[in-house]
Amino acid sequence: MKKLLLLFFLLCFTACKNQTPPFLIEKTTVLLFLGPECPLCQDYSITMEKLYESYHDKVDFLAVFSGKHYDDDKIQRYISEYIPHIKWEKDPDFAISSYYDATITPEAVLLDSNGEIKYQGKLDNWLEELGRRRQRIDTFYLKDAIEALIHNKEITVKRTKAIGCFIE
């Protein structure tokens, strides 16, 4: 009975959302919603590359560029200069950002191997609000969530409010 009820709620949720996942998730994945002209996306490139280097054997990383504002050349220049090891996907019709309710760059979404969102929001607490950066980062939201997920532990912070440039 519990399985039937769970299936019913999942079907209702999918029907209400009226969307299917934009792609198949086969292993733990970090989606990084980015904008090549967003200064914070440039500033966070070292952090993103370090996360990739630390976890790429266990976690897929995918940079997502939503909207039609950026052509392939602009995206490729950003990738080459800032995050050369991370694969990227263009999202011209906002299908991916809409599905995951991503509205800000940079914004991270951590998915388990079933495609379920386990964490969403900022990478760390470096930025308290636009224009106000901390001297010392002491909370690593995305890194902590990845660590917890790959070690089958509870993720303590599941969502934070991303701060940055709007996805448009």
Side-chain angles (χ1 to χ4, degrees), residues 4 20 26 33 37 42 50-51 67 85 96 111 168:
L4 186 59
T20 56
E26 296 178 341
F33 290 89
E37 295 176 343
Q42 296 166 6
K50 284 181 180 178
L51 286 167
H85 298 101
I96 301 171
L111 306 168
E168 50 186 17

Side-chain angles (χ1 to χ4, degrees), residues 121-135:
K122 19 188 206 178
L123 281 71
D124 55 37
N125 71 338
W126 179 42
L127 197 64
E128 294 179 30
E129 60 185 47
L130 280 178
R132 252 183 97 206
R133 297 178 184 180
R134 297 171 61 94
Q135 292 291 334

Side-chain angles (χ1 to χ4, degrees), residues 21-154:
F23 47 81
L24 180 66
I25 301 295
E26 296 178 341
K27 76 181 215 184
T28 300
T29 301
V30 172
L31 302 177
L32 297 164
F33 290 89
L34 304 173
E37 295 176 343
C38 177
L40 289 170
C41 293
Q42 296 166 6
D43 292 345
Y44 265 110
S45 61
I46 293 171
T47 301
M48 292 183 284
E49 276 289 305
K50 284 181 180 178
L51 286 167
Y52 173 85
E53 288 175 19
S54 297
Y55 298 106
H56 73 274
D57 58 330
K58 296 178 180 123
V59 178
D60 282 339
F61 286 79
L62 182 66
V64 179
F65 297 90
S66 298
K68 296 179 182 173
H69 187 67
Y70 309 115
D71 62 22
D72 288 356
D73 289 339
K74 189 172 279 193
I75 293 170
Q76 192 56 57
R77 279 194 305 275
Y78 171 84
I79 293 290
S80 297
E81 184 173 346
Y82 294 103
I83 52 172
H85 298 101
I86 297 175
K87 294 180 274 184
W88 63 278
E89 182 75 30
K90 214 169 162 182
D91 181 27
D93 299 320
F94 304 97
I96 301 171
S97 59
S98 293
Y99 185 83
Y100 294 105
D101 294 321
T103 59
I104 299 293
T105 66
E107 184 168 349
V109 177
L110 175 63
L111 306 168
D112 68 10
S113 58
N114 296 315
E116 183 181 333
I117 297 173
K118 295 298 181 178
Y119 170 77
Q120 184 164 356
K122 19 188 206 178
L123 281 71
D124 55 37
N125 71 338
W126 179 42
L127 197 64
E128 294 179 30
E129 60 185 47
L130 280 178
R132 252 183 97 206
R133 297 178 184 180
R134 297 171 61 94
Q135 292 291 334
R136 187 174 57 100
I137 301 165
D138 58 9
T139 307
F140 303 89
Y141 302 113
L142 180 58
K143 181 180 183 283
D144 292 347
I146 292 170
E147 279 290 322
L149 186 58
I150 63 177
H151 292 104
N152 297 314
K153 295 184 177 177
E154 180 70 23

